[in-house]
Amino acid sequence: MPLVLGTPLLHTHLKFRRGRKTVLARSSNEEGPFSSNGHVSFNQKSPFPGKPEADVVIIGSGIGGLCCGGLLSRYKQDVLVLESHDLPGGAAHSFDIKGYKFDSGPSLFSGFQSRGPQANPLAQVLDALGESVPCASYDSWMVYIPDSEFLSRIGPTEFLKDLEKYASMDAVREWRKLLDAVLPMSAAATALPPLAIRSDIGVVSTAAARYAPSLLKSFIQMGPQGALSATKLLRPFSEILDSLELKDPFIRNWVDLLSFLLAGVKSDGVLSAEMVYMFAEWYKPGCTLEYPLDGSAGVVDALVRGMQKFGGRICLGAHVSNIVVENGRATGVKLKNGQFVRAKKAVVSNASMWDTLDMLPAEAVPKEYKERIQRTKQCESFMHLHLGFDAKNIRDDLGIHHIVVNDWSRGVDADQNVVLISIPSTLSKDLAPPGKHVLHAYTPGTEPFELWEGLDRRSSEYKRLKAERSEVMWRAVERAVGPGFDRDNCEVKLVGTPLTHKRFLRRNRGTYGPAIKAGQDTFPGHPTPIPQLYCCGDSTFPGIGVPAVAASGAIVANSLVSVSQHSELLDAVGI
């Protein structure tokens, strides 16, 4: 799911606190949830913690960049992460207004407590850094569809009961058939730990040879039919649905919704491996969802702590304007203030492919590389609604997550059709003042940028469009929270638009990421045609979503060290 921290500097070194008692003030009259009041918490004249050079310079402190930086620091590389915003975390950062602690992006998490070869990629990185994220566990979310509403529960049997009650017996039979086919495939999908992958020939040693026995064992256990299905892991998930002859409208719509929440595309565009991995985390016995007690800030805090523990550095308010290429190689970056930061071994961009291209000198970019980026279709952008309100008249069983689908026939990727709502204060009271709730609603990567392009954020036209396009979220919130909710009585009301996304997250056209469909194209790898320049994040393999970008950062970090160093880390964390 979109799939989004700050604490004070002590001199020039960031000191992150688990309790997050220190808060950066934010302006509540800005146009959206990512805005800052300009109060930058570091020395403007000397922003760098240490020298303005490093072995590896990383552009952007999103989850992918922080995972890359953390592992490289663990590998004893000198790392410097440069972040344009005054808060780290990229699309996963959190912010505070009037004591309400808001997530800017992802709010649906799982797998933090998993360990070992089959663990979630983010959990593997945190384990390597010796960090953990305190979480609250839960097992359901509310779903509102055109003709009904129900509490959707994860696990192998509970959702079958929901289907029997709210869909049909045909849906029950098809869902059971899908689980019987998919869950055995999860052994193959998870047999190769993301932390073992690298982008060079060394992958033969760290991945292929090391995990060949477990991969072979998983195929044997699945039997001939299961092994045949597992060969489709790199194909669209819809092909598995078709091969099973699943035709029930509710099942097809539900799988499309899950696919879209995971990767920004429907089942005909998502890799089967991604969906199989998700099914393994959500529909196996004993599974739960987990929400970080400190919000997404808790995840970012843990990654930054882990990186700094091993000597890594992060600099906020450091806007990279150009990637410097000398003699055909990336040798560093130039900041907006004109300062040059040298990268002795590599530059890693955690920016989108389009923003990375814009930072490169035109003459250094091969024509084919440029043309591929320019023709890659983008996912649309977001509308966001952040609210802080009194819990006095709100029911006690509200629940953290709510999904509203207005019209199945339009498709889950249609604009203004699906609204996601997160109310994390139902699980973690510290995220809001006493007796209050904090809420984040958004349309997940479906808001057309064209509607907003060229508008002046101070204009009446912009304000009118904000009110008009945010109404679908207000109605969804009113339906989910119930009659005790009054929009006029909210203490905090913030509406974010694609222009907010573009401005504060430095995202080209405010996009969610590349709209790359499995079977039609593949996500780019991590090395680029320019020596010493690598990319990680949602513009690279394996794609969009928190687990995917964490894996991408790990792959780049592994690729920048020797096979022996990489193997030693795998041994140390027991995978």
Side-chain angles (χ1 to χ4, degrees):
M1 177 167 295
L3 239 173
V4 188
L5 320 162
T7 49
L9 267 99
L10 181 59
H11 302 297
T12 56
H13 293 275
L14 286 166
K15 300 295 182 182
F16 281 75
R17 305 182 195 173
R18 186 178 297 273
R20 304 196 54 77
K21 299 299 183 182
T22 304
V23 170
L24 284 181
R26 291 223 168 203
S27 171
S28 60
N29 60 1
E30 257 289 0
E31 103 276 1
F34 309 108
S35 55
S36 168
N37 68 353
H39 177 218
V40 182
S41 59
F42 58 82
N43 186 330
Q44 294 276 13
K45 295 182 180 179
S46 181
F48 289 97
K51 294 181 179 180
E53 66 176 23
D55 293 333
V56 181
V57 173
I58 299 174
I59 305 169
S61 67
I63 296 293
L66 291 177
C67 286
C68 182
L71 287 180
L72 282 170
S73 299
R74 174 72 161 75
Y75 284 129
K76 299 182 180 179
Q77 301 295 299
D78 181 21
V79 174
L80 177 59
V81 177
L82 301 175
E83 170 56 51
S84 177
H85 208 324
D86 57 9
L87 300 169
H93 80 273
S94 295
F95 61 94
D96 185 297
I97 293 179
K98 297 181 179 180
Y100 293 94
K101 299 173 178 62
F102 294 101
D103 290 334
S104 289
S107 57
L108 187 60
F109 298 95
S110 61
F112 279 117
Q113 311 308 319
S114 58
R115 293 292 182 269
Q118 296 185 353
N120 183 293
L122 179 56
Q124 289 184 348
V125 172
L126 289 168
D127 194 24
L129 298 178
E131 294 291 336
S132 61
V133 178
C135 294
S137 297
Y138 62 105
D139 63 0
S140 61
W141 65 85
M142 279 297 299
V143 178
Y144 306 82
I145 53 181
D147 53 355
S148 66
E149 60 186 58
F150 63 95
L151 185 69
S152 174
R153 293 163 290 183
I154 65 172
T157 59
E158 295 303 316
F159 188 56
L160 291 171
K161 299 175 184 177
D162 297 332
L163 290 174
E164 184 176 351
K165 184 174 181 180
Y166 298 104
S168 66
M169 288 307 299
D170 284 340
V172 172
R173 285 189 289 270
E174 290 199 1
W175 185 256
R176 184 177 283 117
K177 188 176 183 180
L178 179 60
L179 291 184
D180 289 344
V182 166
L183 291 182
M185 294 169 58
S186 65
T190 60
L192 185 60
L195 205 60
I197 303 174
R198 50 192 295 131
S199 297
D200 59 18
I201 194 62
V203 72
V204 174
S205 174
T206 62
R210 188 180 183 104
Y211 299 100
S214 61
L215 188 59
L216 179 61
K217 180 180 178 181
S218 68
F219 274 94
I220 293 173
Q221 290 175 338
M222 283 187 289
Q225 189 63 39
L228 179 63
S229 297
T231 61
K232 299 177 181 178
L233 287 173
L234 297 181
R235 298 290 301 168
F237 192 62
S238 59
E239 293 185 5
I240 291 179
L241 303 180
D242 294 339
S243 69
L244 295 172
E245 298 183 340
L246 304 185
K247 299 178 181 179
D248 183 84
F250 187 92
I251 295 300
R252 298 298 296 230
N253 284 328
W254 185 257
V255 174
D256 271 347
L257 178 62
L258 295 179
S259 303
F260 191 71
L261 298 180
L262 176 68
V265 291
K266 294 191 292 187
S267 60
D268 62 354
V270 67
L271 278 177
S272 292
E274 287 190 75
M275 288 296 289
V276 169
Y277 192 95
M278 185 210 70
F279 268 77
E281 285 201 334
W282 288 13
Y283 294 107
K284 276 190 172 181
C287 56
T288 63
L289 295 170
E290 298 162 317
Y291 183 79
L293 293 179
D294 289 332
S296 60
V299 181
V300 176
D301 272 350
L303 290 171
V304 173
R305 280 198 312 269
M307 181 179 70
Q308 292 184 318
K309 179 166 57 182
F310 291 101
R313 297 172 288 151
I314 182 170
C315 179
L316 304 179
H319 178 61
V320 174
S321 59
N322 301 100
I323 297 170
V324 177
V325 179
E326 300 173 318
N327 299 319
R329 309 177 76 83
T331 59
V333 300
K334 187 177 180 180
L335 302 186
K336 185 177 181 180
N337 65 9
Q339 184 167 16
F340 174 65
V341 183
R342 180 166 298 280
K344 291 181 278 187
K345 291 185 178 180
V347 173
V348 178
S349 176
N350 187 208
S352 76
M353 60 170 66
W354 304 279
D355 295 296
T356 300
L357 180 64
D358 287 343
M359 287 186 278
L360 286 165
E363 66 276 9
V365 181
K367 182 180 178 182
E368 291 183 5
Y369 183 66
K370 178 180 180 180
E371 289 178 346
R372 175 179 181 176
I373 292 174
Q374 291 176 333
R375 69 171 178 263
T376 299
K377 185 179 178 181
Q378 294 182 344
C379 293
E380 296 291 2
S381 191
F382 292 79
M383 289 293 294
H384 290 270
L385 182 64
H386 286 85
L387 304 175
F389 57 93
D390 199 313
K392 181 178 179 181
N393 297 316
I394 308 302
R395 67 183 192 273
D396 294 333
D397 63 345
L398 183 58
I400 178 173
H401 283 120
H402 306 256
I403 298 177
V404 179
V405 181
N406 292 315
D407 185 351
W408 282 125
S409 67
R410 293 188 63 216
V412 295
D413 55 350
D415 70 297
Q416 300 271 289
N417 195 31
V418 174
V419 178
L420 308 182
I421 301 169
S422 173
I423 314 173
S425 49
T426 59
L427 291 178
S428 182
K429 302 299 183 184
D430 290 341
L431 296 177
K436 311 290 184 179
H437 275 312
V438 59
L439 181 149
H440 176 205
Y442 54 99
T443 56
T446 58
E447 180 67 10
F449 185 80
E450 289 76 11
L451 296 176
W452 304 85
E453 193 166 17
L455 290 182
D456 184 337
R457 292 179 296 106
R458 296 163 296 185
S459 68
S460 57
E461 183 183 4
Y462 178 75
K463 294 174 182 176
R464 177 195 58 77
L465 190 60
K466 266 208 312 183
E468 175 187 315
R469 299 295 289 182
S470 64
E471 185 60 28
V472 68
M473 297 184 293
W474 281 109
R475 291 197 303 268
V477 169
E478 289 168 342
R479 183 178 181 186
V481 181
F485 175 80
D486 185 346
R487 68 170 74 179
D488 293 330
N489 290 336
C490 291
E491 295 179 11
V492 176
K493 290 187 280 189
L494 294 173
V495 176
T497 73
L499 296 186
T500 315
H501 233 67
K502 178 178 183 291
R503 182 184 180 199
F504 289 102
L505 297 184
R506 308 289 182 184
R507 299 286 293 185
N508 183 277
R509 297 174 62 81
T511 183
Y512 183 22
I516 293 175
K517 287 191 172 184
Q520 298 181 15
D521 200 356
T522 58
F523 276 87
H526 308 92
T528 72
I530 300 172
Q532 295 183 187
L533 175 63
Y534 293 77
C535 293
C536 67
D538 58 22
S539 286
T540 64
F541 177 84
I544 293 174
V546 171
V549 299
S552 75
I555 292 170
V556 173
N558 297 335
S559 304
L560 290 173
V561 299
S562 68
V563 170
S564 61
Q565 286 177 287
H566 188 181
S567 298
E568 287 172 5
L569 177 66
L570 295 176
D571 291 337
V573 296
I575 60 174

